[in-house]
PDB file of all heavy atoms in Angstrom:
ATOM      1  N   VAL D1079      -8.152   3.247  13.247  1.00 98.00           N
ATOM      2  CA  VAL D1079      -7.615   2.673  14.511  1.00 98.00           C
ATOM      3  C   VAL D1079      -7.047   1.298  14.242  1.00 98.00           C
ATOM      4  O   VAL D1079      -6.008   0.934  14.760  1.00 98.00           O
ATOM      5  CB  VAL D1079      -8.791   2.620  15.530  1.00 98.00           C
ATOM      6  CG1 VAL D1079      -8.352   1.807  16.833  1.00 98.00           C
ATOM      7  CG2 VAL D1079      -9.214   4.008  15.910  1.00 98.00           C
ATOM      8  N   ALA D1080      -7.769   0.475  13.468  1.00 97.00           N
ATOM      9  CA  ALA D1080      -7.329  -0.906  13.194  1.00 97.00           C
ATOM     10  C   ALA D1080      -5.935  -0.875  12.497  1.00 97.00           C
ATOM     11  O   ALA D1080      -5.079  -1.687  12.835  1.00 97.00           O
ATOM     12  CB  ALA D1080      -8.347  -1.613  12.309  1.00 97.00           C
ATOM     13  N   TYR D1081      -5.736   0.013  11.540  1.00 98.00           N
ATOM     14  CA  TYR D1081      -4.448   0.018  10.873  1.00 98.00           C
ATOM     15  C   TYR D1081      -3.351   0.595  11.781  1.00 98.00           C
ATOM     16  O   TYR D1081      -2.176   0.158  11.732  1.00 98.00           O
ATOM     17  CB  TYR D1081      -4.496   0.802   9.536  1.00 98.00           C
ATOM     18  CG  TYR D1081      -3.246   0.545   8.732  1.00 98.00           C
ATOM     19  CD1 TYR D1081      -2.961  -0.688   8.163  1.00 98.00           C
ATOM     20  CD2 TYR D1081      -2.248   1.511   8.605  1.00 98.00           C
ATOM     21  CE1 TYR D1081      -1.805  -0.952   7.477  1.00 98.00           C
ATOM     22  CE2 TYR D1081      -1.085   1.308   7.927  1.00 98.00           C
ATOM     23  CZ  TYR D1081      -0.834   0.044   7.362  1.00 98.00           C
ATOM     24  OH  TYR D1081       0.314  -0.224   6.742  1.00 98.00           O
ATOM     25  N   GLN D1082      -3.698   1.528  12.647  1.00 98.00           N
ATOM     26  CA  GLN D1082      -2.733   2.064  13.586  1.00 98.00           C
ATOM     27  C   GLN D1082      -2.254   0.967  14.547  1.00 98.00           C
ATOM     28  O   GLN D1082      -1.082   0.936  14.913  1.00 98.00           O
ATOM     29  CB  GLN D1082      -3.310   3.278  14.353  1.00 98.00           C
ATOM     30  CG  GLN D1082      -3.571   4.456  13.482  1.00 98.00           C
ATOM     31  CD  GLN D1082      -2.348   4.919  12.683  1.00 98.00           C
ATOM     32  OE1 GLN D1082      -1.306   5.152  13.270  1.00 98.00           O
ATOM     33  NE2 GLN D1082      -2.496   5.012  11.383  1.00 98.00           N
ATOM     34  N   GLU D1083      -3.157   0.037  14.891  1.00 98.00           N
ATOM     35  CA  GLU D1083      -2.735  -1.075  15.725  1.00 98.00           C
ATOM     36  C   GLU D1083      -1.761  -1.977  14.982  1.00 98.00           C
ATOM     37  O   GLU D1083      -0.782  -2.462  15.545  1.00 98.00           O
ATOM     38  CB  GLU D1083      -3.972  -1.895  16.168  1.00 98.00           C
ATOM     39  CG  GLU D1083      -4.811  -1.171  17.150  1.00 98.00           C
ATOM     40  CD  GLU D1083      -6.109  -1.926  17.491  1.00 98.00           C
ATOM     41  OE1 GLU D1083      -6.281  -3.083  17.023  1.00 98.00           O
ATOM     42  OE2 GLU D1083      -6.952  -1.338  18.201  1.00 98.00           O
ATOM     43  N   ALA D1084      -1.975  -2.200  13.676  1.00 98.00           N
ATOM     44  CA  ALA D1084      -1.056  -2.968  12.855  1.00 98.00           C
ATOM     45  C   ALA D1084       0.322  -2.300  12.787  1.00 98.00           C
ATOM     46  O   ALA D1084       1.361  -2.942  12.920  1.00 98.00           O
ATOM     47  CB  ALA D1084      -1.631  -3.210  11.468  1.00 98.00           C
ATOM     48  N   LEU D1085       0.304  -0.972  12.608  1.00 97.00           N
ATOM     49  CA  LEU D1085       1.561  -0.223  12.606  1.00 97.00           C
ATOM     50  C   LEU D1085       2.316  -0.314  13.900  1.00 97.00           C
ATOM     51  O   LEU D1085       3.521  -0.370  13.933  1.00 97.00           O
ATOM     52  CB  LEU D1085       1.302   1.245  12.230  1.00 97.00           C
ATOM     53  CG  LEU D1085       0.969   1.530  10.756  1.00 97.00           C
ATOM     54  CD1 LEU D1085       0.688   3.002  10.558  1.00 97.00           C
ATOM     55  CD2 LEU D1085       2.106   1.067   9.859  1.00 97.00           C
ATOM     56  N   ALA D1086       1.566  -0.291  15.024  1.00 98.00           N
ATOM     57  CA  ALA D1086       2.184  -0.416  16.290  1.00 98.00           C
ATOM     58  C   ALA D1086       2.892  -1.774  16.440  1.00 98.00           C
ATOM     59  O   ALA D1086       4.001  -1.859  17.030  1.00 98.00           O
ATOM     60  CB  ALA D1086       1.183  -0.202  17.416  1.00 98.00           C
ATOM     61  N   ALA D1087       2.288  -2.787  15.901  1.00 97.00           N
ATOM     62  CA  ALA D1087       2.896  -4.132  15.986  1.00 97.00           C
ATOM     63  C   ALA D1087       4.149  -4.164  15.095  1.00 97.00           C
ATOM     64  O   ALA D1087       5.120  -4.857  15.419  1.00 97.00           O
ATOM     65  CB  ALA D1087       1.867  -5.212  15.531  1.00 97.00           C
ATOM     66  N   LEU D1088       4.090  -3.470  13.981  1.00 97.00           N
ATOM     67  CA  LEU D1088       5.277  -3.441  13.084  1.00 97.00           C
ATOM     68  C   LEU D1088       6.406  -2.655  13.695  1.00 97.00           C
ATOM     69  O   LEU D1088       7.568  -3.021  13.580  1.00 97.00           O
ATOM     70  CB  LEU D1088       4.866  -2.826  11.746  1.00 97.00           C
ATOM     71  CG  LEU D1088       5.918  -2.776  10.667  1.00 97.00           C
ATOM     72  CD1 LEU D1088       6.417  -4.158  10.327  1.00 97.00           C
ATOM     73  CD2 LEU D1088       5.367  -2.050   9.408  1.00 97.00           C
ATOM     74  N   SER D1089       6.074  -1.542  14.323  1.00 95.00           N
ATOM     75  CA  SER D1089       7.007  -0.683  15.000  1.00 95.00           C
ATOM     76  C   SER D1089       8.242  -0.376  14.071  1.00 95.00           C
ATOM     77  O   SER D1089       8.059   0.038  12.943  1.00 95.00           O
ATOM     78  CB  SER D1089       7.430  -1.246  16.340  1.00 95.00           C
ATOM     79  OG  SER D1089       8.242  -0.379  17.055  1.00 95.00           O
ATOM     80  N   ASP D1090       9.429  -0.635  14.592  1.00 94.00           N
ATOM     81  CA  ASP D1090      10.648  -0.393  13.821  1.00 94.00           C
ATOM     82  C   ASP D1090      11.214  -1.685  13.232  1.00 94.00           C
ATOM     83  O   ASP D1090      12.411  -1.799  12.970  1.00 94.00           O
ATOM     84  CB  ASP D1090      11.670   0.323  14.684  1.00 94.00           C
ATOM     85  CG  ASP D1090      12.077  -0.504  15.884  1.00 94.00           C
ATOM     86  OD1 ASP D1090      11.500  -1.554  16.128  1.00 94.00           O
ATOM     87  OD2 ASP D1090      13.012  -0.023  16.608  1.00 94.00           O
ATOM     88  N   GLY D1091      10.358  -2.655  12.989  1.00 95.00           N
ATOM     89  CA  GLY D1091      10.786  -3.933  12.401  1.00 95.00           C
ATOM     90  C   GLY D1091      11.172  -3.924  10.973  1.00 95.00           C
ATOM     91  O   GLY D1091      11.804  -4.842  10.471  1.00 95.00           O
ATOM     92  N   VAL D1092      10.817  -2.840  10.282  1.00 96.00           N
ATOM     93  CA  VAL D1092      11.164  -2.693   8.873  1.00 96.00           C
ATOM     94  C   VAL D1092      11.468  -1.237   8.569  1.00 96.00           C
ATOM     95  O   VAL D1092      11.089  -0.311   9.327  1.00 96.00           O
ATOM     96  CB  VAL D1092       9.996  -3.155   7.914  1.00 96.00           C
ATOM     97  CG1 VAL D1092       9.573  -4.545   8.171  1.00 96.00           C
ATOM     98  CG2 VAL D1092       8.818  -2.212   7.996  1.00 96.00           C
ATOM     99  N   GLU D1093      12.164  -1.006   7.487  1.00 96.00           N
ATOM    100  CA  GLU D1093      12.287   0.307   6.883  1.00 96.00           C
ATOM    101  C   GLU D1093      11.602   0.201   5.558  1.00 96.00           C
ATOM    102  O   GLU D1093      11.907  -0.647   4.722  1.00 96.00           O
ATOM    103  CB  GLU D1093      13.741   0.708   6.718  1.00 96.00           C
ATOM    104  CG  GLU D1093      13.876   2.048   6.055  1.00 96.00           C
ATOM    105  CD  GLU D1093      15.306   2.398   5.687  1.00 96.00           C
ATOM    106  OE1 GLU D1093      16.234   1.639   6.032  1.00 96.00           O
ATOM    107  OE2 GLU D1093      15.517   3.418   4.990  1.00 96.00           O
ATOM    108  N   ARG D1094      10.571   1.043   5.372  1.00 95.00           N
ATOM    109  CA  ARG D1094       9.840   0.960   4.090  1.00 95.00           C
ATOM    110  C   ARG D1094       9.467   2.351   3.544  1.00 95.00           C
ATOM    111  O   ARG D1094       9.400   3.329   4.307  1.00 95.00           O
ATOM    112  CB  ARG D1094       8.591   0.112   4.256  1.00 95.00           C
ATOM    113  CG  ARG D1094       7.539   0.698   5.162  1.00 95.00           C
ATOM    114  CD  ARG D1094       6.343  -0.248   5.329  1.00 95.00           C
ATOM    115  NE  ARG D1094       5.278   0.389   6.090  1.00 95.00           N
ATOM    116  CZ  ARG D1094       4.026   0.082   6.095  1.00 95.00           C
ATOM    117  NH1 ARG D1094       3.640  -0.954   5.376  1.00 95.00           N
ATOM    118  NH2 ARG D1094       3.186   0.708   6.816  1.00 95.00           N
ATOM    119  N   ASP D1095       9.278   2.386   2.268  1.00 94.00           N
ATOM    120  CA  ASP D1095       8.795   3.572   1.620  1.00 94.00           C
ATOM    121  C   ASP D1095       7.311   3.334   1.400  1.00 94.00           C
ATOM    122  O   ASP D1095       6.913   2.506   0.616  1.00 94.00           O
ATOM    123  CB  ASP D1095       9.548   3.724   0.284  1.00 94.00           C
ATOM    124  CG  ASP D1095       9.054   4.904  -0.592  1.00 94.00           C
ATOM    125  OD1 ASP D1095       8.057   5.551  -0.204  1.00 94.00           O
ATOM    126  OD2 ASP D1095       9.716   5.198  -1.563  1.00 94.00           O
ATOM    127  N   PHE D1096       6.467   4.105   2.099  1.00 97.00           N
ATOM    128  CA  PHE D1096       5.013   3.936   2.061  1.00 97.00           C
ATOM    129  C   PHE D1096       4.444   5.222   1.513  1.00 97.00           C
ATOM    130  O   PHE D1096       4.721   6.296   2.016  1.00 97.00           O
ATOM    131  CB  PHE D1096       4.444   3.619   3.424  1.00 97.00           C
ATOM    132  CG  PHE D1096       2.939   3.440   3.449  1.00 97.00           C
ATOM    133  CD1 PHE D1096       2.380   2.208   3.361  1.00 97.00           C
ATOM    134  CD2 PHE D1096       2.101   4.559   3.561  1.00 97.00           C
ATOM    135  CE1 PHE D1096       1.016   2.029   3.348  1.00 97.00           C
ATOM    136  CE2 PHE D1096       0.737   4.399   3.522  1.00 97.00           C
ATOM    137  CZ  PHE D1096       0.176   3.130   3.449  1.00 97.00           C
ATOM    138  N   ARG D1097       3.590   5.119   0.494  1.00 97.00           N
ATOM    139  CA  ARG D1097       2.927   6.318  -0.005  1.00 97.00           C
ATOM    140  C   ARG D1097       1.523   5.997  -0.468  1.00 97.00           C
ATOM    141  O   ARG D1097       1.257   4.853  -0.781  1.00 97.00           O
ATOM    142  CB  ARG D1097       3.698   6.978  -1.112  1.00 97.00           C
ATOM    143  CG  ARG D1097       4.019   6.044  -2.289  1.00 97.00           C
ATOM    144  CD  ARG D1097       5.005   6.682  -3.254  1.00 97.00           C
ATOM    145  NE  ARG D1097       6.353   6.725  -2.675  1.00 97.00           N
ATOM    146  CZ  ARG D1097       7.273   7.553  -3.029  1.00 97.00           C
ATOM    147  NH1 ARG D1097       7.116   8.412  -3.960  1.00 97.00           N
ATOM    148  NH2 ARG D1097       8.462   7.554  -2.410  1.00 97.00           N
ATOM    149  N   ILE D1098       0.687   6.986  -0.427  1.00 98.00           N
ATOM    150  CA  ILE D1098      -0.691   6.884  -0.943  1.00 98.00           C
ATOM    151  C   ILE D1098      -0.744   7.749  -2.215  1.00 98.00           C
ATOM    152  O   ILE D1098      -0.376   8.916  -2.174  1.00 98.00           O
ATOM    153  CB  ILE D1098      -1.707   7.371   0.092  1.00 98.00           C
ATOM    154  CG1 ILE D1098      -1.606   6.507   1.375  1.00 98.00           C
ATOM    155  CG2 ILE D1098      -3.125   7.278  -0.474  1.00 98.00           C
ATOM    156  CD1 ILE D1098      -2.453   6.999   2.520  1.00 98.00           C
ATOM    157  N   VAL D1099      -1.140   7.121  -3.280  1.00 98.00           N
ATOM    158  CA  VAL D1099      -1.201   7.851  -4.560  1.00 98.00           C
ATOM    159  C   VAL D1099      -2.611   7.819  -5.148  1.00 98.00           C
ATOM    160  O   VAL D1099      -3.352   6.867  -4.938  1.00 98.00           O
ATOM    161  CB  VAL D1099      -0.199   7.278  -5.597  1.00 98.00           C
ATOM    162  CG1 VAL D1099       1.260   7.418  -5.106  1.00 98.00           C
ATOM    163  CG2 VAL D1099      -0.471   5.843  -5.926  1.00 98.00           C
ATOM    164  N   GLU D1100      -2.915   8.862  -5.868  1.00 97.00           N
ATOM    165  CA  GLU D1100      -4.221   8.955  -6.489  1.00 97.00           C
ATOM    166  C   GLU D1100      -4.084   8.415  -7.948  1.00 97.00           C
ATOM    167  O   GLU D1100      -3.188   8.765  -8.676  1.00 97.00           O
ATOM    168  CB  GLU D1100      -4.683  10.421  -6.563  1.00 97.00           C
ATOM    169  CG  GLU D1100      -6.059  10.582  -7.173  1.00 97.00           C
ATOM    170  CD  GLU D1100      -6.487  12.050  -7.142  1.00 97.00           C
ATOM    171  OE1 GLU D1100      -5.718  12.936  -7.504  1.00 97.00           O
ATOM    172  OE2 GLU D1100      -7.640  12.274  -6.733  1.00 97.00           O
ATOM    173  N   GLY D1101      -5.011   7.530  -8.301  1.00 96.00           N
ATOM    174  CA  GLY D1101      -5.066   7.024  -9.666  1.00 96.00           C
ATOM    175  C   GLY D1101      -5.633   8.061 -10.605  1.00 96.00           C
ATOM    176  O   GLY D1101      -5.934   9.178 -10.242  1.00 96.00           O
ATOM    177  N   ILE D1102      -5.776   7.641 -11.874  1.00 90.00           N
ATOM    178  CA  ILE D1102      -6.372   8.512 -12.844  1.00 90.00           C
ATOM    179  C   ILE D1102      -7.794   8.038 -13.130  1.00 90.00           C
ATOM    180  O   ILE D1102      -8.114   6.877 -12.968  1.00 90.00           O
ATOM    181  CB  ILE D1102      -5.553   8.580 -14.133  1.00 90.00           C
ATOM    182  CG1 ILE D1102      -5.385   7.201 -14.694  1.00 90.00           C
ATOM    183  CG2 ILE D1102      -4.195   9.219 -13.901  1.00 90.00           C
ATOM    184  CD1 ILE D1102      -4.736   7.192 -16.103  1.00 90.00           C
ATOM    185  N   ASP D1103      -8.629   8.958 -13.524  1.00 79.00           N
ATOM    186  CA  ASP D1103     -10.006   8.631 -13.900  1.00 79.00           C
ATOM    187  C   ASP D1103      -9.956   8.152 -15.335  1.00 79.00           C
ATOM    188  O   ASP D1103      -9.715   8.969 -16.288  1.00 79.00           O
ATOM    189  CB  ASP D1103     -10.879   9.874 -13.739  1.00 79.00           C
ATOM    190  CG  ASP D1103     -12.363   9.551 -13.984  1.00 79.00           C
ATOM    191  OD1 ASP D1103     -12.650   8.554 -14.691  1.00 79.00           O
ATOM    192  OD2 ASP D1103     -13.191  10.294 -13.489  1.00 79.00           O
TER     193      ASP D1103
END
Side-chain angles (χ1 to χ4, degrees):
V1079 171
Y1081 191 71
Q1082 293 305 307
E1083 290 175 6
L1085 285 178
L1088 182 60
S1089 186
D1090 61 354
V1092 303
E1093 178 187 352
R1094 67 183 184 159
D1095 177 351
F1096 180 95
R1097 56 191 70 204
I1098 300 172
V1099 298
E1100 184 176 47
I1102 58 173
D1103 185 337

